[in-house]
């Protein structure tokens, strides 16, 4: 006699244990550690209707279930402990999560091949990823894996990492960095795969500004390789029809500096200087615009860097070295840098502009700058003249610098557009055609934060020179004296709330105190200079 299956929505804490549910494994996440040092593993499950929910296996049962579950397979499960799920972290309308122990009965469903996933996912277009750069708003992407680069160890603790490159219908390559267990498991799986390039779903990935825009795994990220999905989600037909164009693109494109991932912004996405600096405590990136000027430079304009990660290294450009930052054997590249001021009607922002973005605004190559400094011939006056009153639209990133017990915030220009005048800025924004949005949603929780100090702007008659003030993180903001003074804008801060520690049972108490919540995605190049062949190799 066949077992009667119970719908997931009918299973709750009041249900007796004599029920059986049919579920499919979406994700078998890697073993994680709680703050107290205990281990646990989280499973993402779905029923035949596409209803997603989570199950947890604690440390004492990890070995018991070590070889039980296979991704994409279906199982009949009985005798689980049902606990309420905090609604802020629920992945569906089902308000409960399961805890699996040795009393739980798990039987594999006799499918010859994995059935298509019945659930849906929301994916972010590659050209919209920058909207969540350097934030905790994790994103989902879909693409075909076209490169799987070698694994290597990085840092003093020698953590493992690997870069993979995916591409989607936008025909834009995107780098995703796999760390530690993701490298050792999914990275090795991708490296060993033969045949057509695999389909790849990256879930809950962090957007970074490393090498323009890229993604990186977090401990609770999920990777789906060749998931069984319906044909219109496969991308295989699209890839086969565009294979030659994609191969040509990869042969000439430096996918580590993909400028197309930072397209010219809409006017509504550009912040004032005051607004951008006031919310650097919570949002590390922003689009700003204004006129350029050159302040006094506090360091050399010329330097050398690793051609892979662009971190500064004092070495000759004819050398090949193992970079102490990325641990990759790399050539040494000549680079230039400037500290510039960007001014709009609200204030002035000090920012660092590096190669290759710098060469859009000056007519001197990095080699020219190097020679001028070696011969004690400064180019500062010529550079100041070249960039004076030039309009720039820039994507900037703020980062913290710790020195002698103090914390300061610096700003780097990640992407820059040179615009002739104010009218051109507005016209170019209005004429931009933005790609359609895929999978927009809303944040799980929003709170307004006033971490930045609100400083009233003086009137033109009160002082005769610009007034420099600093916010709570010591970010310098030089307020100009426009006739109509703007008010500083405090942006909304997206906070991740704490899980309530109170619960009605020991297991619920253990889950709420030990297991971090599953972070959900928010719903809502210039090529490098070629160097001569190196003649010296240093390890």
């Amino acid at each position: 006699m066949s077992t009667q299956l119970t719908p997931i929505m009918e299973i709750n804490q009041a249900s007796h244990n004599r029920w059986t549910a049919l579920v499919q494994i979406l994700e078998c996440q890697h073993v994680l550690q709680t703050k107290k040092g205990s281990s646990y593993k989280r499973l993402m499950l779905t029923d035949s209707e596409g209803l997603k929910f989570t199950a947890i296996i604690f440390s004492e049962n990890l070995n018991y279930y070590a070889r039980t579950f296979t991704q994409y397979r279906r199982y009949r499960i009985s005798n689980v402990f049902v606990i309420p799920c905090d609604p802020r972290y629920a992945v569906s309308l089902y308000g409960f999560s399961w805890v699996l122990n040795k009393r739980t009965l798990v039987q594999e469903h006799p499918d010859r091949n994995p059935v298509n996933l019945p659930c849906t996912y929301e994916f972010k277009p590659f050209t919209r990823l920058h909207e969540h750069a350097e934030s905790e708003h994790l994103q989902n992407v879909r693409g075909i894996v076209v490169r799987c680069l070698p694994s290597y160890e990085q840092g003093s603790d020698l953590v493992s990492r690997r870069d993979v490159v995916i591409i989607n219908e936008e025909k834009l390559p995107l780098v995703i960095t796999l760390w530690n267990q993701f490298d050792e498991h999914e990275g090795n799986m991708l490296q060993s795969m033969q045949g057509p390039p695999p389909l790849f779903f990256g879930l809950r990935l962090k957007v970074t500004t490393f090498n323009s825009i890229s993604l990186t795994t977090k401990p609770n990220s999920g990777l789906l390789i060749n998931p069984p999905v319906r044909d219109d989600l496969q991308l295989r037909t699209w890839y086969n029809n565009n294979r030659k164009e994609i191969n040509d693109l990869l042969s000439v494109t430096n996918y580590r500096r993909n400028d197309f991932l930072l397209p010219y912004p809409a006017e509504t996405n550009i912040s004032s200087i005051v607004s951008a600096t006031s919310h650097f405590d919570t949002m590390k990136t922003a689009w700003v615009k204004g006129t350029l000027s050159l302040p006094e430079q506090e360091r050399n304009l010329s330097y050398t860097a690793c051609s892979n990660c662009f971190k500064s290294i004092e070495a000759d450009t004819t050398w090949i070295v193992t970079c102490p930052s990325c641990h990759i054997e790399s050539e040494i590249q000549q680079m230039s840098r400037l500290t510039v001021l960007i001014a709009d009607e609200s204030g002035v922002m000090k920012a660092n502009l590096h190669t290759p973005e710098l060469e859009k605004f000056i007519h001197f190559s990095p080699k020219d700058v190097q020679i001028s400094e070696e011969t004690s011939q400064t180019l500062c006056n010529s550079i100041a003249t070249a960039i004076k009153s030039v309009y720039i639209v820039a994507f900037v990133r703020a980062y913290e610098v710790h020195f002698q017990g103090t914390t300061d915030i610096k700003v780097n220009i990640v992407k820059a557009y040179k615009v002739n005048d104010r009218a051109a800025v507005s016209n170019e924004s209005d004429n931009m055609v933005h790609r359609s949005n895929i999978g927009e949603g809303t944040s799980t929780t929003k709170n307004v934060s006033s971490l930045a100090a609100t400083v009233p702007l003086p009137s033109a008659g009160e002082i005769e020179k610009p007034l420099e003030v600093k916010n709570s993180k010591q970010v310098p903001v030089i307020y100009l004296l426009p006739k109509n003074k703007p008010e500083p804008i405090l942006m909304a801060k997206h906070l991740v709330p704490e899980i309530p520690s109170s619960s009605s049972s020991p297991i619920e108490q253990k889950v709420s105190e030990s297991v971090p919540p599953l972070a959900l995605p928010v719903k809502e190049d210039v090529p490098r200079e070629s160097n001569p062949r190196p003649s010296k190799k240093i390890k």
Side-chain angles (χ1 to χ4, degrees):
M1 185 172 124
S2 61
T3 304
Q4 183 176 359
L5 300 177
T6 302
I8 299 298
M9 290 299 292
E10 296 181 9
I11 299 173
N12 52 51
Q13 288 180 298
S15 304
H16 58 76
N17 285 333
R18 294 181 180 178
W19 55 260
T20 300
L22 179 63
V23 301
Q24 187 172 12
I25 306 297
L26 299 175
E27 302 174 40
C28 292
Q29 294 188 7
H30 300 296
V31 176
L32 300 176
Q33 300 288 325
T34 66
K35 293 181 178 180
K36 295 182 178 181
S38 59
S39 303
Y40 71 97
K41 185 172 187 174
R42 198 192 305 263
L43 306 177
M44 183 71 74
L45 312 176
T46 184
D47 66 0
S48 59
E49 302 298 322
L51 185 72
K52 290 184 283 190
F53 61 102
T54 60
I56 300 171
I57 305 172
F58 287 109
S59 56
E60 60 268 22
N61 297 310
L62 286 175
N63 290 335
Y64 184 79
Y65 287 105
R67 300 179 181 273
T68 301
F69 298 105
T70 302
Q71 193 175 25
Y72 312 137
R73 287 288 180 179
R74 295 197 295 173
Y75 298 86
R76 287 173 291 175
I77 298 181
S78 308
N79 301 334
V80 302
F81 191 88
V82 181
I83 62 173
C85 178
D86 190 311
R88 294 172 294 183
Y89 311 118
V91 296
S92 68
L93 295 177
Y94 184 58
F96 299 92
S97 185
W98 295 358
V99 176
L100 278 57
N101 52 39
K102 292 180 181 178
R103 294 180 59 254
T104 303
L105 180 62
V106 179
Q107 304 173 79
E108 185 172 355
H109 195 68
D111 296 319
R112 177 172 297 182
N113 295 306
V115 299
N116 284 353
L117 302 184
C119 55
T120 59
Y121 291 96
E122 297 178 342
F123 301 104
K124 198 75 171 180
F126 292 1
T127 52
R128 300 287 300 277
L129 289 171
H130 68 274
E131 298 173 3
H132 305 282
E134 303 299 343
S135 75
E136 295 306 315
H137 301 167
L138 307 182
Q139 301 299 310
N140 299 339
V141 294
R142 176 191 64 150
I144 293 289
V145 178
V146 292
R147 293 284 188 274
C148 182
L149 304 180
S151 173
Y152 58 92
E153 295 178 332
Q154 173 175 315
S156 57
D157 50 355
L158 297 180
V159 296
S160 172
R161 64 165 289 175
R162 181 198 305 267
D163 288 341
V164 299
V165 184
I166 68 171
I167 197 167
N168 68 355
E169 302 97 325
E170 298 169 274
K171 296 181 181 178
L172 298 175
L174 175 67
V175 177
I176 302 177
T177 300
L178 313 183
W179 292 93
N180 298 326
Q181 295 183 87
F182 292 101
D183 170 31
E184 297 166 9
H185 186 265
E186 286 86 353
N188 285 331
M189 182 189 302
L190 289 170
Q191 187 179 41
S192 62
M193 293 182 72
Q194 304 293 327
L199 179 65
F200 181 95
F201 288 4
L203 309 177
R204 302 179 299 278
L205 301 175
K206 181 179 175 67
V207 185
T208 77
T209 54
F210 181 70
N211 291 339
S212 183
I213 291 293
S214 61
L215 297 177
T216 184
T217 57
K218 301 284 286 183
N220 61 347
S221 296
L223 304 181
L224 277 59
I225 299 173
N226 276 336
V229 294
R230 61 182 190 267
D231 292 342
D232 60 324
L233 293 177
Q234 286 285 352
L235 288 180
R236 300 197 188 283
T237 301
W238 169 82
Y239 176 79
N240 291 332
N241 293 338
N242 296 274
R243 179 179 300 182
K244 184 179 184 305
E245 182 180 354
I246 293 171
N247 290 336
D248 293 342
L249 174 69
L250 293 173
S251 66
V252 300
T253 300
N254 178 9
Y255 49 79
R256 294 187 184 277
R257 293 288 304 179
N258 194 342
D259 291 336
F260 295 105
L261 296 177
L262 283 170
Y264 193 95
E267 187 71 20
T268 54
N269 293 333
I270 300 177
S271 302
S272 68
I273 299 296
V274 169
S275 174
T277 55
S278 67
H279 75 261
F280 276 160
D281 288 319
T282 56
M283 297 291 292
K284 301 298 184 185
T285 60
W287 283 102
V288 298
K289 67 177 181 179
T291 55
L292 285 178
S293 61
L294 189 69
E296 183 178 352
Q297 302 298 296
E298 299 176 351
R299 57 183 177 176
N300 290 339
L301 307 187
S302 177
Y303 69 105
T304 51
C306 168
S307 61
N308 177 66
C309 68
F310 302 102
K311 295 294 181 64
S312 176
I313 301 178
E314 292 189 13
D316 193 273
T317 54
T318 61
W319 296 358
I320 285 183
V321 302
T322 300
C323 176
S325 296
C326 68
H327 293 267
I328 291 291
E329 191 175 87
S330 307
E331 296 181 357
I332 298 298
Q333 180 177 348
Q334 193 69 47
M335 306 276 282
S336 299
R337 61 191 172 197
L338 279 181
T339 298
V340 298
L341 298 179
I342 306 175
D344 67 4
E345 291 81 0
S346 68
V348 177
M349 173 186 292
K350 181 183 290 187
N352 299 315
L353 185 58
H354 296 257
T355 299
E357 299 301 306
L358 173 58
E359 279 66 46
K360 299 176 182 179
F361 299 90
I362 64 175
H363 301 293
F364 303 105
S365 68
K367 191 65 177 178
D368 296 333
V369 177
Q370 178 201 13
I371 293 174
S372 70
E373 291 190 334
E374 290 178 349
T375 57
S376 300
Q377 297 177 358
T378 179
L379 294 176
C380 286
N381 291 337
S382 299
I383 293 175
T385 301
I387 71 172
K388 183 179 180 181
S389 300
V390 170
Y391 251 78
I392 182 176
V393 174
F395 186 73
V396 299
R397 175 181 68 90
Y399 62 98
E400 293 184 352
V401 176
H402 305 280
F403 181 70
Q404 294 183 349
T406 62
T407 299
D408 197 7
I409 287 186
K410 302 290 186 180
V411 178
N412 273 347
I413 296 176
V414 180
K415 173 69 176 178
Y417 288 94
K418 183 179 180 181
V419 185
N420 291 330
D421 54 30
R422 293 172 183 258
V425 175
S426 299
N427 291 338
E428 189 164 352
S429 296
D430 295 338
N431 293 333
M432 281 298 297
V433 178
H434 294 278
R435 300 177 186 268
S436 61
N437 177 33
I438 302 175
E440 280 298 309
T442 56
S443 173
T444 56
T445 178
K446 295 181 180 179
N447 289 315
V448 175
S449 170
S450 58
L451 295 179
T454 303
V455 180
L457 299 181
S459 64
E462 291 176 328
I463 58 175
E464 297 180 353
K465 61 181 180 179
L467 173 65
E468 180 173 349
V469 297
K470 294 187 178 182
N471 65 9
S472 60
K473 280 294 188 69
Q474 300 300 302
V475 181
V477 182
I478 305 174
Y479 289 101
L480 301 181
L481 305 176
K483 293 182 180 179
N484 298 320
K485 61 180 183 180
E487 294 295 333
I489 301 175
L490 297 177
M491 307 297 289
K493 179 184 179 184
H494 299 271
L495 301 178
V496 178
E498 298 292 334
I499 291 185
S501 58
S502 60
S503 183
S504 58
S505 72
I507 294 184
E508 294 173 26
Q509 181 75 14
K510 183 175 185 179
V511 173
S512 64
E513 291 182 349
S514 302
V515 182
L518 181 69
L520 301 177
V522 174
K523 298 184 177 180
E524 4 156 67
D525 174 69
V526 177
R528 299 192 299 263
E529 281 189 10
S530 58
N531 291 324
R533 295 304 305 166
S535 59
K536 187 173 182 179
K537 188 172 183 179
I538 293 182
K539 288 290 185 181

